[in-house]
Each structure stands twice: as structure tokens, then as C-alpha cells.
Amino acid sequence: MLEFCQFGAGRIGAIHADNIALHSGATLRYVVDVNEAAAQALADRYGAQVVSTQTALADPAVDAAIIASSTDTHADLIEAAARAGKAIFCEKPIDLSLKRVESCLEVAREAGVPLALAFNRRFDPSFAALQRRLSEGEVGEVEMLCITSRDPAPPPLDYIKVSGGLFRDMMIHDLDMARWLLGEEPVEVTATASCLVDQAIAEAGDVDTALVTLRTAGGRLCQISNNRRAAYGYDQRIEVLGSKGMLRAENHRPTTVEAATADGVSRDKPLYFFLERYAAAYKAELDAFIDAVSSGIEPSPGGYDGHAALRLADAALQSFKEKRTIILAW
């Protein structure tokens, strides 16, 4: 039985705690959060205790730590958990600074502990099936990849101000997916962006609409489309063009019922919220982490993937600001 301590009792923390409870080989022992009421409510639901960071990490009965607290705490908690010898499952990003990420990963490497990054979209059943069939050569060599990721509405302005911006907060998931599906590291990054949804976002120093083009050393191309507003729901699609054909993963909908009448053809809109759209992915990623740690296998995606995705996000932001293509060497 893998014993967890969890940092963060908010929306994502609640999802992870639910999924620990659903796994027969894991249990939640401690919850840590600056919001004591939220921590206590989550702990009470699963028979855990609310304690301090020091108490949670000092307990030898704790095997692993879930870090689902605010972004500015991730790197410090990774280092503390690593020094305490705990396996680590951390929400993205590790930090908003590449240098801080590098120093943090060095601590984890020296401690020799497993470290997984919560890029949950790799575990979505549809996206995982697409990647598997792609790797099996069903459509030949990858030539073009198109990733669409559009939120139904912007997050609160207070969140945007501390998020690190669209490229580091929202697109970082898509940049990780691009690396995973292209099979080669992007060496050219070209970005353009606007603020078309809410000018308050621009006043906060961010954008809400962006396009990024990636090119690998082998010439494979990827285009990522992000927007903070999609009136029809949470738009999450992937299309891969290969030398032998195409693979496509479409949006998830509440039902597959389609109506065809004299007035036209209609079907349900895509699921509206990311928590319901990626419910299966959240469970699968934690299951994979638990199974990896229990088996002594290195979990994936890991620290390097978190660093690489942030590096691409920084390059996209630089490209947008400087209006030029950024060249990367790996």
C-alpha cells in the first residue's frame, strides 16, 4: 500500500485525492494546505490528517508526495520531498523560471527519487490511442501535426495575473503533447498572439489568442491553436498527417446522439469544463504513477519533460515579443 501526503486541497487536489481513494494500492495519509478549512474538509472525506509540511515529510510511513498547491510552491516542495526520500507527483509547471527548474531537478536527481509531471493529456484515452497507433506506424512518418486547445471562457483575472501567461500556463500542455507526438524535439518556434477576448487580460500583460508553429530538425511541422473563448464548449482536438494517412482525435461530447431533421443536423456540444473532459486522464495518470513507483520503474512524463515544455513556452513567448523565429539547440 502506497501512503501519500498531498500538498494542495483545491480543485485539482480534490481530483487527485478522489483518485487515490479509487486505487486499491494507495491511501491518503496527510493533507497540507494554507487553507485549513479546505484541508480539513478533504482530509475528513478520506480519513486523512491535516498536518504541517515538516510533519508530513518527516513521517517514514509516507512513500510519496502529491504537489497540487500553487505554482510558486512547487519547486520548494519538490526539493523538500526529494530530500525526505519521497516519490513525487507534481502538477505543472515546476516553476516559471527555467533556472529554478534546473536547480530543482538537480536536487531530485541527487536524491534519486522518482519524479512525475502531471501532463495529464498524455493519459487521455483518445490521445493515448492516437499516440500508440502513430508509434506503430499506422499512418507512416509524421509530416504535420495540428493541436487545437480552446477554453470555453477565460479564467479569473486574478489567476491570469499570477499564472505566468498563456504560453506557460495553457499552451504548455500542448507543447508537451507536440514533443510526445512529433517524436523529435522542435528546433524552431514561431509564435503570434493577440488579445481579442478581454482587454483586461492585455492590461494584465497577457494574451488570450495565440498560434504557434514548431519545426523539428527533420522538418516535421506542428501548429498549435489556443484561445481563451470558445462559445460552443471546451475544444480539444488533435490531427496528425502522416506519409500513409491521417489520425484524428475529436472532442468528447455528453452523448453520441445525432438528430437529422428538415431543419438540419445537430448533436451535443463538446463537454464544457476541463475537469469532466479529462476525468479519465486524471485517474489514468495517477494510476500510472502509483504502478511505476510500486514496480520501481521510472515514471513518465518526468522532470525533463517539464523542463522541455517550459523551454518551448519561453521560446514561444520570446518569439511573440520579438516578432521572430527562435532557434533551439537540444
Side-chain angles (χ1 to χ4, degrees), residues 93-110:
I94 295 171
D95 195 83
L96 297 177
S97 161
L98 274 175
K99 287 186 177 180
R100 183 70 183 96
V101 170
E102 289 162 4
S103 63
C104 173
L105 292 182
E106 182 58 30
V107 171
R109 278 192 294 269
E110 289 176 357

Side-chain angles (χ1 to χ4, degrees), residues 20-31:
I20 289 173
L22 290 171
H23 198 289
S24 61
T27 187
L28 182 62
R29 189 178 185 90
Y30 298 125
V31 178

